[in-house]
Amino acid sequence: MDSFDSMMGFDKLGLYFEAHVAGFDGECFDYSIYFEEGCTDEKLKEINAAIDEFTAPYDEEEIFIGYIDVSKNDEKVSIYLDTGNIDEDIDTVVTGILKALNNVTGIKSVIVNEDCDFDF
C-alpha cells in the first residue's frame, strides 16, 4: 500500500490525517473517510461543503472533473469519484479531494479504494 501512496503522491501532501491507496479500480476512486469522534451528520455537511468549495472553480470554468457523490453510513463518509472522460489530470482531481478534506476537522484516516486490497 505504501508504494501506491508514493505513486499517487499522497506522501507529499502534508495532510493532518493518514491517507492511503489500497488498490485501483479502473477510473473510479472510492474514498472511505473515518473520524476520530465517529461519523455524524455534521461531518457529512462539512465534507459536502469542502467538496463543493473544491469543485466550484472547475464548475465556473465548465471543466469536467468527474462524477462525485458523497454519502454516509454508520461508520464513515464515502466519496465516490468516477474520472471517466474528465477534462483535468486525474492525479490533480484525486489529490485535490484529499486537500479539500484537509479543511475538515476530526478526520482520522482516508482509505482510497478500500475494497481493492489485493496484490498485483
Side-chain angles (χ1 to χ4, degrees), residues 11 15 22-23 56 58 77 91 108 112:
D11 55 339
L15 305 170
Y58 294 102
V77 170
D91 292 346
K108 178 180 174 181
V112 178

Side-chain angles (χ1 to χ4, degrees), residues 16-88:
Y16 80 86
F17 53 82
E18 288 187 43
H20 300 288
V21 180
F24 294 94
D25 184 16
E27 58 194 22
C28 297
F29 297 84
D30 189 15
Y31 299 72
S32 298
I33 306 161
Y34 297 94
F35 299 90
E36 300 284 349
E37 302 291 324
C39 185
T40 64
D41 289 339
E42 183 60 37
K43 289 299 170 191
L44 176 63
K45 288 178 189 175
E46 288 181 45
I47 287 179
N48 271 313
I51 296 302
D52 288 347
E53 186 176 331
F54 167 66
T55 60
Y58 294 102
D59 292 343
E60 289 173 12
E61 297 294 323
E62 296 183 11
I63 298 170
F64 181 64
I65 60 168
Y67 169 77
I68 300 173
D69 181 63
V70 180
S71 60
K72 173 187 167 291
N73 69 25
D74 291 337
E75 64 183 41
K76 66 183 178 182
V77 170
S78 296
I79 298 175
Y80 175 77
L81 168 65
D82 183 341
T83 61
N85 299 316
I86 67 171
D87 298 327
E88 184 62 68

